[in-house]
Structure formats: C-alpha cells, structure tokens
Amino acid sequence: MTTTRPLIFRKGLDMKEAVAGDLAAAYHSRLVDEVRAGNFRHDSGRLTVHLAREFGFCYGVDRAVDYAYQAVARFPGRHVFLTGEIIHNPHVNDRLRANGIRFLSDPDERGRDLGPADVVILPAFGITVGEMADLSDRGCTLVDTTCGSVLNVWKNVVRYAQEGFTAIIHGKVKHEETRATASQALKYPRGRYLVVLDREEAAVVCDYIRHGGDRAAFLERFGQAVSPGFNPDVDLDRIGCANQTTMLMSESLEIGEMFRAAIRDRYGDAEIAEHFRAFDTICSATQERQDAVEALLAAEPVGLMIVVGGYNSSNTCNLARICAARVRTYHIADPDCLLSAERIRHRPVGAPSTAAAAEVVTEHWLPPTGRVVIGLTAGASTPNNIVGQVIETLERFASA
C-alpha cells in the first residue's frame, strides 16, 4: 500500500495472534514462570536466588516488540525499518534484525532515501518532532510504538510551551527519549527547554534562578542541553519540571523540590503558581521495578545482586545504582557475562547509560563454598528468556 501521507498505527496491527508463537519462542522462559510461582525464589543445592517481584519487560516494551513483529507480518514484501534501537537491549534488537527489520541507525542504512513504499517503526522512546515531520513528508507508512508514559510527558511539555513555561527536563541529553521530549517544547514560539542530568546540575540552575549570574558561563556549561536562543535571564522566570521516564525516581522528585524551593526563594509563596509547574512523569513500570528491588534488599539477606540489562538502558543502570548502595552488585548485559564461577564480566556501576563505560572482569565473585544467596533483577527492556538463562548459569556454577 502506498500513500502520500503516513499511515500511523497506534492501536495494534491486527496480527497479534499470528506472531504470538514467535514472540513466545523468542522471549519467554518456563523457568522464570516457575520461579514466579514459587514466591520468586529458586533453590538448587547451595544456591538460592531471590527474584525481584517486578522485573524485565514492561507493558510498553512488550507492546513495542509485539508491534515490530506484527509489522513484518502485516507488510510482507515491503522494506521494514526502525529509526534506531527499539529498546535498549542488544539481544532484542539483534533478533529484530534477524527477523528482517533494518535499522536506519546502522552504518550501512544511514542516509537511505525513504519513500511511500517503506514501512518505518518508531521506537518506544519516540522520535523528535523534526524526524516525524521528515518521515511524514516522505509518505512512509509509520508504525508508532512510542510508550504511553512518554506520550504523557510530551502532553505536559507541550502545555508548558503553550503557557510560556520553560520545560526543565531531568534526563540525559543524548538519550533518544529526552531528545524527543525536548523537541516537543519547540512546537510553540514561546517554548523553551533545559535538560539537567543530576542534582549537581540542578543546583547550578537553581542558584541562577535565585541570584542570577554569568550568562555566558551558564550557556557554556549547558550549551548542548538548552533550546536554541536560550536566555537564562529570561527563560528561567517561569519553569515546569518534567523527566525522562526512566530516571531514578527519588532523584527526580528531589530535583523537582529543588526547583520549587528556588522559585519560592525568588518570588515568594504567593507567586509560586505563576512561576512553577510540576508533575510526576516517572513511568509506573520504572517505579515498580525500583520499589521491588528496594523491597527485596530489605527483606532478604542476599550476598550479592545481579542486575541484567543493556548497558545503555537508563532504567537498568538506575536499578544497579540502587542495589550498589546496599550490597555488592554486578550489572551484566546477558548470561555470557557470567564467564565462570571465578570470573564475571560487568559494567561498572555509576556511569550514565549514555556514557561509554568499558566492561571490567572481576575475579572470585562467587563464593566457592557454603550457601550462596543472590538477588536478581532485570531492566524493563530485558526479556524473560535472558533472566532464565542467568538463573540456569548460576545454578550450574554453584553445583560445579
């Protein structure tokens, strides 16, 4: 089917049953189902694994992958592309490539001249307003898998822009979701945005709100994280808080309170409503997985935690940060990182997901004798089959 305007699918492609078997074969795990049924505990010899009660694929990720498989089935004989990684999990993305989906972010696909004959899948993170306009102008058939939680943030950022508020976005400026969210602010002439990574950057902005400062120095620091023509002397007068949905919930809430306090100090309690907006944009799945790992650590005397997920997955890196504050923690990408009972390959905890962080190998990570109690969780882009393979590998190492 060809068309001069994009055909955007958002509510399903009517091929769900046709691809259900392929999805189950690719991503499900009978062992994980058994662990769930066993009160999220797996015992084998000297090994006990406690699985967090919320882990792995969230609804938005499950839906995005489902739509991608459906797109291939729905448009046989057509070229099907993804604008980039559908989610931040190499295992899932490689399976999609094997299923015939081509990634426009891959070196041999960049700059491809797309047209009405092409099908383009938009990832769960969403794409920028400019990218959407370009694909629309080309007449591509679009399959939109943008997560509903992300769309909710966009609505609020657009509302800020309509009302003349600058969107202060707690996120990673290079992350696909944050770039897409920031672009929403530019739909209206008064729309502005500023992205802050953490409390330290938020504190710098709050200090400027309270006292003003060196505009040139401010723009030098935040030059890649602000909207075109941003002027901190004007554009920090009225602000509204937003978040990349996968950030650490406690940090996002604290940053929101930091900005509320700065506005209060500058304008007084009576004027807060005229200068400040806030809403909770951490997605429920992200919060549930963070809460679940906190509950596991409070309830079970684990000797170490394993966090499974892509190294460029923001929500997975944040789960690792939570765990590392309480217990020895290893963030691994997949079961192959479990090299042996003596050696584990993992990503150091703490670096942002958008920053390159070389893997390291730790020796003597698994106690050679005695009981071994391990906590296990997985990021929202990690399928159950990967979690199951990790449990099987741990079982094999502990029995060796």
Side-chain angles (χ1 to χ4, degrees):
M1 162 170 54
T2 61
T3 176
T4 57
R5 298 298 297 166
L7 181 60
I8 302 179
F9 292 91
R10 283 197 176 95
K11 297 182 179 179
L13 307 182
D14 299 325
M15 301 290 293
K16 191 173 183 65
E17 291 185 6
V19 302
D22 290 340
L23 289 169
Y27 303 115
H28 291 180
S29 167
R30 180 176 297 177
L31 175 57
V32 169
D33 291 341
E34 293 173 356
V35 175
R36 274 199 176 106
N39 199 29
F40 295 85
R41 174 173 174 151
H42 179 73
D43 292 293
S44 177
R46 71 187 186 100
L47 173 70
T48 295
V49 175
H50 293 287
L51 183 61
R53 290 181 177 270
E54 297 290 343
F55 67 94
F57 267 14
C58 63
Y59 169 77
V61 166
D62 190 59
R63 169 181 169 274
V65 174
D66 185 11
Y67 274 26
Y69 274 74
Q70 289 190 52
V72 174
R74 174 68 174 78
F75 301 104
R78 303 258 306 262
H79 293 309
V80 180
F81 297 93
L82 261 162
T83 59
E85 293 186 346
I86 193 166
I87 55 174
H88 285 157
N89 185 280
H91 170 78
V92 173
N93 288 308
D94 286 346
R95 277 192 176 273
L96 293 178
R97 289 184 178 94
N99 202 37
I101 298 175
R102 296 152 70 176
F103 285 52
L104 295 171
S105 56
D106 287 349
D108 56 345
E109 300 290 354
R110 290 173 186 164
R112 179 168 291 279
D113 186 19
L114 300 173
D118 296 312
V119 178
V120 181
I121 304 170
L122 314 184
F125 317 110
I127 62 175
T128 68
V129 171
E131 289 167 336
M132 176 66 88
D134 178 63
L135 292 172
S136 296
D137 289 343
R138 293 174 182 273
C140 302
T141 297
L142 305 182
V143 178
D144 190 353
T145 80
T146 305
C147 177
S149 295
V150 175
L151 293 173
N152 182 55
V153 179
W154 290 1
K155 291 176 184 177
N156 287 280
V157 169
V158 168
R159 187 176 301 121
Y160 290 162
Q162 289 174 317
E163 298 175 356
F165 281 71
T166 292
I168 304 291
I169 304 168
H170 175 215
K172 299 165 184 175
V173 71
K174 295 181 180 180
H175 194 284
E176 301 97 317
E177 181 191 325
T178 294
R179 294 203 310 269
T181 296
S183 75
Q184 295 290 318
L186 303 182
K187 285 184 172 181
Y188 290 86
R190 295 187 297 168
R192 300 287 186 273
Y193 69 79
L194 185 155
V195 179
V196 295
L197 174 63
D198 50 25
R199 297 177 186 89
E200 180 182 348
E201 289 194 351
V204 173
V205 181
C206 287
D207 185 67
Y208 204 100
I209 290 172
R210 289 185 173 97
H211 310 295
D214 186 332
R215 182 172 65 179
F218 184 96
L219 292 176
E220 182 177 359
R221 175 161 188 166
F222 293 101
Q224 302 302 309
V226 297
S227 50
F230 191 89
N231 181 352
D233 296 327
V234 175
D235 297 327
L236 294 177
D237 179 64
R238 306 173 81 207
I239 63 171
C241 292
N243 313 78
Q244 180 183 313
T245 58
T246 54
M247 299 300 280
L248 191 64
M249 178 190 64
S250 59
E251 187 173 32
S252 289
L253 294 175
E254 183 177 338
I255 285 172
E257 289 305 309
M258 290 172 65
F259 280 105
R260 184 190 300 273
I263 290 294
R264 179 186 296 111
D265 289 347
R266 179 171 176 177
Y267 296 104
D269 288 329
E271 298 295 322
I272 286 181
E274 293 297 318
H275 297 272
F276 181 76
R277 299 278 189 275
F279 61 94
D280 179 7
T281 54
I282 293 292
C283 81
S284 59
T286 297
Q287 182 172 339
E288 287 164 359
R289 280 150 186 73
Q290 292 176 6
D291 291 345
V293 82
E294 292 273 16
L296 187 159
L297 291 168
E300 305 295 347
V302 301
L304 62 93
M305 280 292 305
I306 292 178
V307 180
V308 191
Y311 292 155
N312 60 340
S313 165
S314 177
N315 77 88
T316 307
C317 288
N318 284 327
L319 288 173
R321 287 173 60 191
I322 292 171
C323 295
R326 301 274 293 275
V327 69
R328 179 161 53 100
T329 297
Y330 301 104
H331 176 183
I332 64 173
D334 54 48
D336 290 342
C337 291
L338 302 174
L339 302 176
S340 69
E342 291 78 33
R343 304 172 75 239
I344 184 172
R345 187 177 72 244
H346 59 101
R347 185 186 197 272
V349 177
S353 62
T354 50
E359 289 180 309
V360 297
V361 174
T362 295
E363 308 279 349
H364 311 298
W365 70 279
L366 194 66
T369 59
R371 288 209 56 76
V372 181
V373 182
I374 297 176
L376 177 63
T377 190
S381 54
T382 306
N384 280 1
N385 67 310
I386 295 297
V387 177
Q389 290 168 26
V390 167
I391 296 174
E392 291 171 352
T393 304
L394 292 172
E395 187 175 28
R396 186 171 72 252
F397 288 172
S399 63

